[in-house]
Amino acid sequence: MNLTLNPPPSQPTRLQPKPNEDLLVHELTHLVMHGLLWRTSPWLYEGLAEYMSAAHIGGGAYNFSRIDSAIRDHIRLRHPPNANHQITCASLDYFLPMTGKQWIDANSLAENRAAHSAYAVSLLLTHYHLQSSERRKDIQSYLILARAHRDSRRPFPRMQIGSATEIEKRLAKFWHPKGLPIRFKKP
């Protein structure tokens, strides 16, 4: 899969390929966060990058006022529904404890659909945390703690998010009426 084309041309052409701006936004978000990447949970840094990518409306412009529909469309485009019209995602219990290396290993070996599932879950979980002022404070506290972490030989700080099963229920309940029926299952 060529990630620089949006989408790849079906026939030979002399036109220059159109850059995938959303992918560029995703990777630029990682560059902005470069000092925190090795210190934080992959679901969060991938989720923040996907959040920015979903909010991107083209040409370097962003719209956060319709973020719910932008996230729905962003996920549908990359992770289409199954025959039952549901988006099947791996359970949070699977993703939350992953280290950066485990994330890379799991997604580099995964089929396209499974890899997109990981990014969808990280985006949904990040959105869940950003939509509540209390949970935003939890992210802020976690990022401050992660930034202070200097010794890679010591365990990295982990963000405590509560019951994965309860959050999955909340996510499914929130997104279903917005046109994104989600189902979580163990991989």
Side-chain angles (χ1 to χ4, degrees), residues 99-133:
T99 65
K101 181 174 179 354
Q102 290 168 330
W103 178 278
I104 290 168
D105 290 346
N107 289 310
S108 63
L109 299 175
E111 296 176 18
N112 243 1
R113 190 172 182 85
H116 288 300
S117 172
Y119 290 92
V121 170
S122 66
L123 173 56
L124 294 171
L125 192 53
T126 298
H127 174 266
Y128 170 79
H129 281 86
L130 294 176
Q131 294 310 104
S132 155
S133 60

Side-chain angles (χ1 to χ4, degrees), residues 36-161:
L36 287 172
L37 290 180
W38 65 273
R39 301 173 187 171
T40 56
S41 298
W43 71 262
L44 181 59
Y45 62 74
E46 292 298 347
L48 288 169
E50 282 295 290
Y51 191 86
M52 294 302 292
S53 181
H56 182 251
I57 57 174
Y62 298 85
N63 183 352
F64 294 97
S65 66
R66 300 189 62 227
I67 195 66
D68 293 355
S69 60
I71 288 172
R72 179 200 62 219
D73 296 345
H74 187 82
I75 290 174
R76 279 185 181 165
L77 179 66
R78 288 153 186 83
H79 192 64
N82 62 21
N84 297 329
H85 305 288
Q86 290 182 321
I87 304 288
T88 303
C89 297
S91 68
L92 295 181
D93 282 333
Y94 175 72
F95 286 108
L96 291 175
M98 279 189 177
T99 65
K101 181 174 179 354
Q102 290 168 330
W103 178 278
I104 290 168
D105 290 346
N107 289 310
S108 63
L109 299 175
E111 296 176 18
N112 243 1
R113 190 172 182 85
H116 288 300
S117 172
Y119 290 92
V121 170
S122 66
L123 173 56
L124 294 171
L125 192 53
T126 298
H127 174 266
Y128 170 79
H129 281 86
L130 294 176
Q131 294 310 104
S132 155
S133 60
E134 189 169 317
R135 290 189 296 262
R136 266 194 313 273
K137 287 178 188 174
D138 291 344
I139 287 180
Q140 182 180 17
S141 298
Y142 172 66
L143 291 175
I144 290 168
L145 185 63
R147 185 178 197 117
H149 184 86
R150 301 278 183 221
D151 186 354
S152 61
R153 296 170 296 181
R154 286 190 8 245
F156 297 110
R158 289 281 184 207
M159 187 170 155
Q160 302 302 314
I161 68 159

